[in-house]
Amino acid sequence: GPIYCGAKLKTGSKLDSGAVWLGNTLSKLSEQAAKLVTNLGKIGFGFNTSMESYQYQFEALLGDADKAAQLIADLQELAKISPLGMEGLANNAVTLLNTGTELAEIIPVLEMLGNLSLGDQSKLNGVVRAYTQILNKGQLFSEEINQLSDQGVPIIEIMTKFGGEKYADGSWYQEKLQNAKYYIPAEDMVRAFQAATAEGGKWHDYM
């Protein structure tokens, strides 16, 4: 029979059965540990591959490897302190860069829109698309108002409370309802978003 700790065990004894069970258990644990190491290796490989992909994309957009690396570091920091994930933030940053947002504005804009999206990545994706569409048009029409509302951004309340004197009495919305061609200038929307998410604003630090 097998020998453990210098003692010969009789086959069929309770001690022998326990030793066999212990041996099988240790073998299974060893297999599980090996699988865990393999899976961790895959995760690490996937992470490194993603970082290389981000570096390539941002370097192509910015034309500068150091600026691309710094943007990745800034996005990682934002991902650490918010519910938003690195992959989603990186994709949002690509969208913003592709539509002309300056590098220095990427993180502030993501923080602003992230707060308006209440830290929800799915909503943020939709808000970023609507935001870039509005900037490209230079105007906010009913279509974009509806897009933002669909993502949970109360654009009517934001413009009325934070859009300044021009929007404060709410008459702008009545005019919008009566005039299909009515629009809000993009810069007015941006100022209202900034005020709503700044310290003291209703949507400050919502992530």
Side-chain angles (χ1 to χ4, degrees):
I3 298 177
Y4 297 93
C5 300
K8 187 172 182 179
L9 304 175
K10 294 181 180 180
T11 302
S13 70
K14 291 183 179 179
L15 189 56
D16 183 45
S17 298
V20 172
W21 173 84
L22 179 59
N24 290 337
T25 300
L26 290 174
S27 177
K28 290 178 181 178
L29 288 174
S30 178
E31 291 176 6
Q32 291 173 356
K35 288 179 181 177
L36 178 60
V37 170
T38 301
N39 289 336
L40 288 174
K42 289 179 180 178
I43 292 171
F45 175 76
F47 178 79
N48 290 333
T49 302
S50 296
M51 290 301 107
E52 290 175 6
S53 175
Y54 300 148
Q55 178 70 29
Y56 175 80
Q57 289 185 71
F58 291 135
E59 192 172 335
L61 288 167
L62 298 169
D64 188 300
D66 291 339
K67 289 180 179 178
Q70 184 58 56
L71 177 55
I72 290 172
D74 291 342
L75 290 169
Q76 287 178 307
E77 187 61 31
L78 181 56
K80 286 180 184 177
I81 62 173
S82 75
L84 303 170
M86 179 62 188
E87 182 179 358
L89 286 171
N91 290 333
N92 296 148
V94 169
T95 299
L96 291 170
L97 287 170
N98 273 325
T99 50
T101 303
E102 295 292 330
L103 174 60
E105 294 300 313
I106 295 296
I107 298 301
V109 168
L110 286 175
E111 290 177 333
M112 176 180 73
L113 299 183
N115 281 323
L116 292 174
S117 304
L118 308 183
D120 185 300
Q121 184 66 63
S122 177
K123 289 182 179 179
L124 177 59
N125 295 340
V127 172
V128 168
R129 284 193 296 271
Y131 180 84
T132 54
Q133 184 175 319
I134 292 163
L135 293 187
N136 284 337
K137 287 184 176 181
Q139 299 164 338
L140 182 66
F141 289 95
S142 292
E143 178 186 353
E144 290 76 36
I145 289 175
N146 292 336
Q147 286 179 349
L148 290 168
S149 297
D150 288 345
Q151 299 303 325
V153 177
I155 182 65
I156 298 169
E157 178 185 354
I158 290 172
M159 292 308 303
T160 301
K161 289 185 177 180
F162 300 97
E165 184 178 350
K166 178 180 175 181
Y167 302 93
D169 64 0
S171 60
W172 69 273
Y173 185 65
Q174 294 303 318
E175 185 179 349
K176 169 202 163 305
L177 293 176
Q178 296 168 10
N179 182 3
K181 294 183 179 180
Y182 179 87
Y183 66 86
I184 299 170
E187 57 266 28
D188 288 0
M189 179 204 70
V190 172
R191 281 196 293 268
F193 280 6
Q194 290 172 338
T197 56
E199 189 172 354
K202 184 176 179 179
W203 285 269
H204 175 64
D205 201 19
Y206 253 61
M207 285 197 292

